[in-house]
């Protein structure tokens, strides 16, 4: 891949708006105000395209977390948000969506600087997606209703029963680094629509857009204490949020390992919980496909966002009659996906988010090679002056015992395997602890439905991948999660049902 060695991987100059955001002093957004941390500790913010430190954020102390939880508790208990007429809440949320759109360019750039994702991708996917979550859920604010029931074993003339849908309370919402703004909005939107209050913690690697979001939350007119945004580490600040007795619900997106830990940590206080965790999503390519469409599609399924996507199509199963053509077609996309600095307008793939992630992904690739996998494409890191780039990688000659086949790599690495018959491939596709998503590529609608019904996954895509929509429920089977986000189910996850039974 000579093309890749000639790419200039020097990060571009930041805009004035981005520089201003990077220069702000590290603070937390608690109770409608920007406040200093009680502890004074900070965390460096790094641009993974260059490896340079570009800003600092607060490392929240226990006291900071307690202060944020207290603000959210008071704001919930006094009803300043949940008792506001739904039309007013809807208007404020819609204003927030408008503000996100107005600041789209700056937000996309900050995301590019912080995560390493191409600014063009952040502008096309992350920012509009973030606004869509807020806008969609704003509409729900006025459509949350209970029901009336006819009691079954009581006389209807004298007994009356109905349900009320009430907000679950104070929410601790913790998000990862792969889609920071999108995840932040995906979390706060249903909570706000339901009438909850929240403490949101972005990942320590990528907090810049969540902090700008706090400015916009303020400008939109969300009352003080309803949304509190704190930055810091997971094992300290995040852990304190999860265990806090004044928190009623925990919503977490991240690794399965930490999701299991959080699940254990909420047990003592029996909080409501939603977990959206890891995946090792299979992509099944049937013999009847159009290779011209399918090869770029299955490449995008793994290489989008440098493979740092919970639904990444990281296990490819192509029918033996098309296997060679499919992987050759994927290899032809190498130049398109060649990693470039996130502010390079030609970038489709950036670096990985951090040195740690780079080491982790290269470690998996090396383990794959040691275990006997063949490298059909990539398998190495291109030259760069400090950035965390990995070339898009296709491994073949793999078997189900290899760590590259079993474990979530969270990088641009796909393992490609051949299959002969449908029952066999469904069994292999389901042979995983995970069950987040899966893909099927075929022109045979009947086969698509049959395979979709057999795959153990929360979402199955047919002839596409990672098409996620706020109106459609999303979540995992097996060790990929608990509960659903998005759509009606996503709102219900922030509601309690209260039954009222009344003698007339
Ligand atoms: P990744 O492996 O992708 O970095 P993690 O699951 O470690 O993802 O982190 C996702 C989010 O969870 C981050 O915001 C991180 O700070 C937070 N986190 C990590 N450990 C804990 C914990 N013990 N309790 C609460 N939050 C945590």
């Amino acid at each position: 891949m000579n093309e890749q060695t000639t790419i200039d991987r020097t990060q571009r100059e930041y805009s004035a708006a981005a520089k201003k955001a990077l220069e702000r002093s590290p603070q937390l957004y608690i109770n409608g105000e920007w406040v200093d941390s009680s502890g004074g500790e900070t965390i460096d913010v790094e641009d993974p395209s260059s490896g340079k430190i570009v800003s600092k954020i607060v490392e929240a102390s226990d006291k900071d977390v307690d202060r944020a939880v207290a603000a959210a508790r008071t704001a919930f208990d006094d009803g300043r948000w949940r008792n506001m007429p739904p039309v007013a809440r809807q208007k404020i949320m819609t204003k927030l969506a408008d503000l996100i759109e107005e600041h789209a360019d700056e937000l996309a750039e900050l995301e590019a600087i912080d995560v390493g994702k191409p600014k063009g991708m952040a502008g096309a996917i992350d920012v509009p997606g973030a606004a869509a979550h807020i806008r969609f859920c704003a509409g729900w604010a006025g459509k949350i209703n209970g029901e009336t029931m006819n009691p079954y074993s009581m006389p209807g003339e004298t007994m009356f029963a109905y349900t009320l849908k009430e907000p679950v309370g104070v929410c601790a919402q913790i998000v990862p680094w792969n889609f920071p703004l999108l995840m932040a909005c995906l979390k706060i939107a249903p909570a706000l629509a339901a009438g909850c209050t929240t403490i949101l913690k972005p990942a320590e690697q990528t907090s810049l857009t969540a902090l700008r979001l706090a400015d916009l939350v303020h400008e939109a007119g969300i009352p003080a204490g309803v949304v509190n945004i704190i930055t810091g580490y997971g094992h300290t600040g995040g852990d304190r949020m999860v265990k806090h007795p004044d928190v009623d619900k925990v919503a977490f997106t991240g690794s399965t390992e930490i999701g299991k830990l959080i699940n254990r940590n909420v047990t003592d206080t029996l909080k409501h919980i939603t977990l959206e965790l890891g995946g090792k999503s299979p992509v099944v390519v049937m013999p009847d496909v159009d290779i011209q469409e399918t090869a770029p599609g299955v490449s995008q399924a793994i290489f989008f966002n440098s493979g740092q996507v919970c639904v990444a199509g990281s296990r490819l199963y192509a029918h033996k009659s098309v296997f060679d053509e499919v992987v050759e077609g994927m290899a032809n996309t190498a130049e398109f996906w060649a990693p470039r600095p996130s502010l390079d307008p030609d970038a489709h793939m950036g670096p990985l988010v951090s040195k740690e992630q780079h080491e982790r992904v290269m470690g998996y690739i090396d383990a794959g090679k040691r275990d006997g996998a063949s490298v059909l494409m990539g398998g190495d890191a291109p030259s760069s002056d400090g950035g965390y780039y990995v070339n898009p990688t296709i491994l073949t000659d793999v078997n189900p015992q290899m760590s590259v086949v079993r474990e979530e790599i969270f990088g641009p690495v796909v393992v490609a395997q051949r299959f002969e018959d449908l029952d066999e491939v469904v069994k292999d596709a389901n042979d995983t602890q995970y069950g987040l998503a899966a893909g099927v590529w075929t022109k045979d609608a009947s086969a698509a439905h049959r395979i979709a019904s057999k795959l153990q996954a929360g979402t199955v895509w047919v002839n596409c991948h990672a098409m996620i929509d706020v109106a459609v429920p999303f979540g995992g089977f097996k060790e990929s999660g608990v509960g659903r986000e998005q759509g009606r189910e996503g709102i219900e996850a922030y509601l309690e049902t209260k039954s009222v039974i009344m003698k007339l």
Side-chain angles (χ1 to χ4, degrees), residues 174-175 177 201-204 234-235 238-239 252-255 258 261-262:
I174 299 175
V175 294
W177 45 255
K201 192 192 84 59
E204 54 272 29
H235 63 282
D239 184 66
F252 169 80
T253 299
S255 61
I258 300 296
L261 176 66
I262 289 178

Side-chain angles (χ1 to χ4, degrees), residues 43-48 57 110-111 113-116 175-178 180 201-208 232-234 353-357:
I43 300 172
D44 288 339
V45 176
E46 192 179 23
D47 178 342
I57 53 166
L110 286 177
E111 212 70 306
I113 293 169
D114 218 5
V115 186
V175 294
W177 45 255
N178 56 349
K201 192 192 84 59
E204 54 272 29
Q205 300 89 341
T206 58
S207 296
L208 297 177
Y233 291 116
V353 71
S354 64
K355 185 164 189 280
E356 185 191 359
Q357 190 62 12

Side-chain angles (χ1 to χ4, degrees), residues 433-454:
Q433 74 191 99
Y434 297 111
L436 191 59
V440 184
W441 293 74
T442 180
K443 289 188 184 135
D444 179 346
S446 161
H449 285 296
R450 272 185 285 131
I451 300 171
S453 74
K454 288 180 181 164

